[in-house]
Amino acid sequence: MSKIQQIAPEVMSVPKVRKRKGARERLVMLTAYDFPSARFAEAAGIDILLVGDSLGMVVQGLNDTLRVTLDQTIYHTSLVSRAAKRALVVADMPFMSYHTGFDDAVRNAGRCIQEGGAQAVKIEGGLKRSDLIRHLVENEIPVMAHIGLTPQSVHALGGFKVQGKTLDTAQALVEDALSVENAGAFALVLECVPAEVAREITQRITIPTIGIGAGPHCDGQVLVFHDVLGLYDGHRPRFVRQYGEFGQAMTQALARYRNDVASGAFPSSEESFHLKEDTAKRFEDGDPKHAESQQALGLVPTMGYLHEGHLSLIRIARSRADKVIVSVFVNPTQFGPAEDFGSYPRDLDRDAALCEKEGVDLIFSPGQSEMYPDGYSTFVTVEGSLTQTLCGAKRPGHFRGVATVVAKLFHIVSPDFAVFGRKDAQQTVVIRRMVCDLDLPVEIVTGPIIREADGLAKSSRNIYLSGEERNQAPLIKAALDAAAAAFEAGERRAATLIAEARSVLTTAARARLDYLSLVDLETLLPVERNIQGPALLAAAVYFGKTRLIDNTLLPVDWEF
């Protein structure tokens, strides 16, 4: 039989540790607070990972566990659950998260499971918590109980002291153990109790006991990650056995790093990137393109028909550069066969006048035959999810065209940086990946989305909208705002956030949804369940034949 079995009743499809009798390999539980520690514990074969409120002392540097919050517990549990493929993850319910009533306890324990990814929660207290444990179990929330020294009761207990040392208090612990078993707890932690008491409890109950400072007779043992590895320099309890001196090793390693940097030994030539020999010589001699003053050069790539959104990007470039170049080129390779390449608005004279007003030094407006002469057959392709989701899912080849033309512009203009708008967020992510992968010496700068007074994102395609379509188009921004408001209020479920936005969009009779997707900001892969990190909620909506895109960041103030 495996160490992890199914818990009864069968409707609870959550793992359970199995109590073993006689000579056996005992269950091993270890605290974990982040992804790396959980990954190491998982690789070592640890059975149970407890996201303990001990994080207040060993991670946050507090004197007790009482100031650990529910949100902190959920956050750390989410980190641990990402690494746990086999081990059972248990979230330690923090002080006052279950003391104010059964409904609050169910809600808060549910958050630990739903948002944190835990498979069970731990509750401190024996007989006085039995009704609460029963209520949680009836609501399909598995509970690990905890008696003896319960750190959240440290003030009531008079400090961190061994419990059950007298006959009366020892018998009370036995009654506590029997009551939590009867209430439906699937396992019981015994902390700082005499070994004889722990043995009696282990023999009397059928659920596994897990000891910490409770002697050798329990069905399993738990220790704090930092104590085991020698990472915590506070008081080391009598019951802790230290299996490594990693704190000392880390201090020595960091001291060597500090000394190497201070002496100039790090980084070496082998640990540095280098220009190719011919490029290095040109750089040292002075590139003719910048030889006169080595001035900073900024590029704003556009397809023309400039509006306030483009001008805001030009102003960003103007604030950072000595010279600003604006490219105006309607790129045919990023349009699909049925898209609006032929009718895309063009007015170079108007664009030139706007650029002159903004202090642009040069407009680069090549012809199609200059960029793609006869026989042209070379393209730049960014593979994977960055180009296959969102707009890429419905516009095959679009981002190949974008990456190709931007790479050519970078080669022709040789800018120090280029400015892109966040309205085309996916495009910016793709360009950043291309620049990184091809080692292009161009910094990618992003500007905010510029909007009309009613919230509609400024776009060259807005001129295609009929009067009725234009009146309804701001609902795209309203839909994104509704989801952002729900996120700010604490909602993290992807399906719920998308539903919030969709409910607003459905009120626009002229709107036809192309996509409404919540994706990870780094990979652009869909968020399947709960948001764990910065995300992008992006929409593409047709009004008639006009396709408009917009997006918002979650959280909205995240730097893109």
Side-chain angles (χ1 to χ4, degrees), residues 42-55:
E42 175 85 10
I46 301 298
D47 299 311
I48 309 170
L49 296 176
L50 172 65
V51 186
D53 60 5
S54 50
L55 76 89

Side-chain angles (χ1 to χ4, degrees), residues 480-491 497 554 556:
L480 299 174
D481 286 347
F487 178 89
E488 291 300 315
E491 183 59 65
L497 293 169
L554 300 177
V556 294

